[in-house]
Amino acid sequence: MEMRRKDRMLNQEETIDILNKSEYGVLSTIGKDNSPYGVPINFAYVDGVVYFHCAKAKGYKIINIMNNSNVCLTVVNDVCLQPEILSTKYRSAILFGKVSIVEDMEEKKKGLEALIKKLSPEYMEVGMKCIDKNTDNTCILKMEVVEMTGKGKKQ
C-alpha cells in the first residue's frame, strides 16, 4: 500500500531503528470469522524477520495464525504530544508479513536469544539458562516481513 504522506516517510535504516528501540508493538491477526484481533507483544527484529514468543496454549493469536498467517505489526515510539499546536511528534513502523510457528529447536533458541539481547541485555547469563530450561515449553513465532514502512513527524 502506498503511503499518503510521503513527506513523513522514513528510510529503511530509520524504520529498523524504530524496531530495534521499541519494546513492544501490536500484532494484528485475522480470525476465522474475519474479525480483526490486535495484541500488544514483545518482539525482536533480526536479519529481516521478527521473532515473538508466547505460551504454547492455543489462544486467539495462535488460533488466528493457524487459520490465516497474514499479520500486521505496528510499532510507535518517540511520541511527544504538542497540545499547543494540536499535534504529535512520533515515529512509527508498520510491517506486513506471514507468521509461522518455529519448530526447529536451534531457531527457537535464536529467537529467544534475540529477545533477551534486546529486552534484557544485562541478564544474558540468566536468560541463556532460562532458554536451556524452557525452550520446549515456549512457542516461538517468526514473521517473514513482506513489506515495511516507517513514518515520522519531527515538528
Side-chain angles (χ1 to χ4, degrees):
M1 185 178 293
E2 193 170 326
M3 186 180 296
R4 185 180 61 84
R5 292 291 308 260
K6 292 191 185 317
D7 59 314
R8 296 189 181 166
M9 186 182 305
L10 302 177
N11 63 37
Q12 185 167 8
E13 183 178 305
E14 293 169 309
T15 303
I16 291 171
D17 185 61
I18 294 168
L19 298 174
N20 290 333
K21 290 183 177 174
S22 299
E23 294 178 359
Y24 70 94
V26 175
L27 182 68
S28 298
T29 62
I30 303 164
K32 285 183 181 181
D33 62 355
N34 289 321
S35 295
Y37 177 70
V39 61
I41 194 161
N42 294 114
F43 66 93
Y45 179 80
V46 180
D47 300 328
V49 300
V50 181
Y51 289 104
F52 313 98
H53 78 291
C54 59
K56 282 189 164 185
K58 291 185 178 162
Y60 284 128
K61 177 176 59 223
I62 297 295
I63 292 169
N64 288 354
I65 288 168
M66 291 172 70
N67 182 59
N68 184 337
S69 64
N70 294 308
V71 297
C72 176
L73 175 65
T74 304
V75 179
V76 181
N77 73 10
D78 293 341
V79 176
C80 179
L81 294 177
Q82 299 174 298
E84 68 282 0
I85 60 170
L86 305 176
S87 190
T88 305
K89 289 185 199 177
Y90 65 91
R91 294 188 329 148
S92 65
I94 298 178
L95 287 69
F96 295 94
K98 293 194 173 286
V99 169
S100 59
I101 297 172
V102 177
E103 302 293 345
D104 178 74
M105 194 60 72
E106 288 307 308
E107 188 170 13
K108 284 178 81 168
K109 288 180 180 180
K110 176 183 176 181
L112 287 167
E113 187 173 337
L115 286 160
I116 293 168
K117 280 182 183 175
K118 178 182 179 187
L119 301 170
S120 301
E122 63 278 8
Y123 298 101
M124 283 305 296
E125 186 177 332
V126 172
M128 295 309 288
K129 288 178 184 174
C130 187
I131 288 173
D132 290 339
K133 183 178 177 184
N134 296 307
T135 301
D136 286 339
N137 301 321
T138 304
C139 182
I140 300 300
L141 303 174
K142 175 181 171 180
M143 178 182 181
E144 300 280 348
V145 178
V146 174
E147 182 180 349
M148 173 174 24
T149 59
K151 186 175 175 183
K153 181 176 182 214
K154 297 172 184 162
Q155 297 181 14

